[in-house]
Amino acid sequence: CAGEENWVDSRTIYVGHREPPPGAEAYIPQRFPDNRIVSSKYTFWNFIPKNLFEQFRRIANFYFLIIFLVQLIIDTPTSPVTSGLPLLFVITVTAIKQGYEDWLRHKADNAINQCPVHFIQHGKLVRKQSRKLRVGDIVMVKEDEKFPCDLIFLSSSRGDGTCFVTTASLDGESSHKTYYAVQDTKAFHNEQEIDALHATIECEQPQPDLYKFVGRINVYHDRNEPIARPLGSENLLLRGATLKNTEKIFGVAIYTGMETKMALNYQSKSQKRSAVEKSMNVFLVVYLCILVSKALINTVLKYAWQSEPFRDEPWYNQKTEPERKRNLFLQAFTDFLAFMVLFNYIIPVSMYVTVEMQKFLEMFDEGTGEGPLVNTSDLNEELGQIEYVFTDKTGTLTENNMEFVECCIEGHVYVPHVICNGQILHDCTGIDMIDSSPGGSGKEREELFFRALCLCHTVQVKDDDSIDGLKKNQVPRRSCIYISSSPDEVALVEGIQRLGYTYLRLKDNFMEILNRENNIEKFELLEVFSFDSVRRRMSVIVKSSTGDIFLFCKGADSSIFPRVKEGKIDQVRSRVERNAVEGLRTLCVAYKKLTAEEYSNVQKLLQSAKLALQDREKKLAEVYEKIERDFILLGATAVEDRLQEKAADTIEALQKAGIKVWVLTGDKMETAAATCYACKLFRRNTQILELTTKKIEEQSLHDVLFDLNKTVIRQNGSLTRDTFSGLSTDTQDYGLIIDGAALSLIMKPRHDGSSGNYREIFLNICRNCSAVLCCRM
């Protein structure tokens, strides 16, 4: 497999800087940067020339410099001080401001680069500065420490070879994400074992995408052929992320310094321009043209006037001999420059001084006693120019704190909160809120549903809750502390616990669950097909103690229903739609049984796709598509995500300020729309316009777009464009709902090669709506 593809854009890393293992002589050593981070723009030596160069790239500054030089060189009607002093003031103030901001960046860089890091050298732990870290070094990171560079996760203090990470400083996600150690190294728990590792890592060259990584590790045992294992984003610990709920981990550095994904995502350090400055530059160019025209006309008129004898030499201002002999063209050019200086007040230098000074003034909140934290003061005035706010829904408008509400199994609805005389009934798990509890085969499906939710997830149990040493009947129905990258999964596992099935732990690749009879059931975890935003589902393949192999799948209804061959689809669908309208997040659950032969084929397909270095994601997606089909539908779940405090008041205030809010979410349309009504993004009088796949199936995309365009233009055509028209009582208020599939159709280039037409119409519709919601994104 190692030489299967010609993988050109790659790098090879020797773990621990060892000599190439036997059979690895073909690898060519490569040079990699050190681990220094540089976010600053200037150095002590280049500050003055570089800053002056950047400042004189501004049209205004360059213009005033030219005028100042002209006043110095030629005999002009005004003093050079009038242009020179304001220009010097603007340049000095800006240089001090930008120099101070860059000094703060230098300070932050030094703190990061000198931060202590634990390396393994010759089987011992050594402490060095972060900047001295090199590609191939084996690093130890402790709990609550940030990763010093991008690492391949080799082993952790946890027995199952996992660790928990928060990536809030990278992507804003505050939930715990689970990462997995390499299968062949996860048993190495001390420095000596890790130091004895002989391995090479092949991986792609650095690229900024935080969620993509393709590589392969070749582990050498003695002189045998290496064992090749695939590496994906679940094995890559990124610089800037923080280790949580794990005592320590060992990892090998593969991307360092400015090649880490965090550094590759840094914004360019070039000087930024605000919208105000850009518009001022446009006016400046217009006035410059007027100024040049005026100076040119006046120069021509001067020579036309002086063309008659004696007019250019009146008795009170006679020329000297050298002046009479001067070149005519040179004299004309000097006169042109003199007129430029004379009329240059058409462009006021004082305005630029005022604009530069106001950037020092900041808002201040007397309540908290704090001002804003400004990284680049060049953009201060942008805050008042915002017209559109784009927002995520989950975790921004809502708390991202999920609570299990109900589940529906083959049309029967189960609610965990059944209380009698102030006590929660333990035997309430069979209580059905619609019909009587199912019997016979229905009971079997019910148990399969609960097992599916206990097994189909990436939830981890916190170590304190281990049940070692307890007999089965001694295990209390306690509240386990669950950790997952997805709050939905934690809510589901906790909800099912209240309905009688408790997920206990994953140990040695066996998942343990406690059933209603207080018996522990063990399932061997064979495969996990992780959730992704394209498939919108996740699956696990597990083997029961009786030898049965099950594939359990949970995902969005739009993803599950088309892949179901039997089950009470209509009853489940109607319940899902009802819950979605109430603003609940819904998931469907399905399963299928696999024979040993079928699983063997699945394993082969997955193995070849996982070890591919080119188009690995595409190959895996094709394999998942083949496997995840012909399901039997079990049921659906509903989870509530409450609104953030004052979310509705905030959106209302933004809309009153003339700011339009566009919401992007992966949720089902009905769920997202209910949330948007709750947080006042849509109001009762808002006319909802739909641009969804369902609508496009009924009419063509062309017809739907043109109908919506006519609707908004007919209403707004007679009105002058008013920012506040969305809130006025006499005009119709529009809200647009679009889904991801419809959006991609609009953005897709047409057969004739033009994509502009649909995009322009779509943009026009959006701009005439007070709010836009994009769901299933």
Side-chain angles (χ1 to χ4, degrees), residues 232-384:
S233 53
E234 71 280 2
N235 310 114
L236 181 67
L237 304 170
L238 300 178
R239 178 175 199 142
T242 309
L243 185 66
K244 292 284 180 187
N245 293 317
T246 310
E247 192 186 322
K248 64 177 181 183
I249 66 104
F250 291 104
V252 58
I254 59 160
Y255 302 130
T256 52
M258 298 309 287
E259 285 189 343
T260 58
K261 288 184 183 284
M262 186 186 191
L264 292 174
N265 277 283
Y266 281 163
Q267 300 242 324
S268 141
K269 288 175 259 174
S270 61
Q271 196 171 1
K272 291 171 182 167
R273 303 264 181 267
S274 67
V276 169
E277 190 177 328
K278 285 173 187 170
S279 62
M280 278 167 59
N281 285 344
V282 173
F283 290 122
L284 183 69
V285 170
V286 172
Y287 283 120
L288 204 52
C289 293
I290 294 169
L291 178 63
V292 170
S293 307
K294 280 178 77 173
L296 209 57
I297 291 164
N298 278 276
T299 308
V300 170
L301 288 175
K302 181 195 172 191
Y303 283 90
W305 167 262
Q306 290 178 346
S307 59
E308 290 185 32
F310 309 113
R311 271 199 182 160
D312 67 331
E313 217 176 320
W315 59 269
Y316 54 82
N317 190 18
Q318 297 225 341
K319 289 182 180 177
T320 59
E321 198 59 37
E323 280 177 333
R324 286 197 187 96
K325 289 179 179 174
R326 272 183 82 179
N327 183 298
L328 185 65
F329 289 106
L330 188 64
Q331 181 66 43
F333 180 66
T334 310
D335 288 339
F336 168 75
L337 292 177
F339 279 118
M340 283 277 287
V341 170
L342 193 60
F343 295 132
N344 99 82
Y345 294 104
I346 193 172
I347 298 167
V349 70
S350 59
M351 179 178 69
Y352 283 90
V353 175
T354 310
V355 167
E356 210 55 47
M357 283 305 294
Q358 57 84 23
K359 288 182 181 180
F360 278 94
L361 304 174
E362 293 174 352
M363 295 184 292
F364 185 76
D365 184 358
E366 289 181 355
T368 59
E370 289 180 358
L373 178 65
V374 181
N375 289 331
T376 308
S377 58
D378 293 338
L379 301 176
N380 280 3
E381 64 267 41
E382 285 290 272
L383 189 61

Side-chain angles (χ1 to χ4, degrees), residues 406-445:
E406 66 166 54
C407 58
C408 165
I409 306 169
E410 298 209 313
H412 302 280
V413 178
Y414 297 75
V415 179
H417 300 288
V418 178
I419 297 170
C420 179
N421 299 331
Q423 287 188 320
I424 294 174
L425 299 180
H426 284 301
D427 295 326
C428 72
T429 50
I431 292 177
D432 179 7
M433 309 311 285
I434 290 176
D435 205 347
S436 61
S437 197
S441 67
K443 196 78 178 164
E444 188 190 326
R445 292 268 170 99

Side-chain angles (χ1 to χ4, degrees), residues 725-745:
S725 61
L727 280 160
S728 65
T729 48
D730 56 343
T731 61
Q732 181 58 57
D733 185 15
Y734 291 108
L736 177 73
I737 298 180
I738 183 169
D739 59 22
L743 185 65
S744 59
L745 275 177

Side-chain angles (χ1 to χ4, degrees), residues 631-644:
F631 287 133
I632 298 165
L633 184 66
L634 288 170
T637 63
V639 168
E640 184 183 18
D641 186 11
R642 283 190 293 272
L643 273 187
Q644 290 273 13

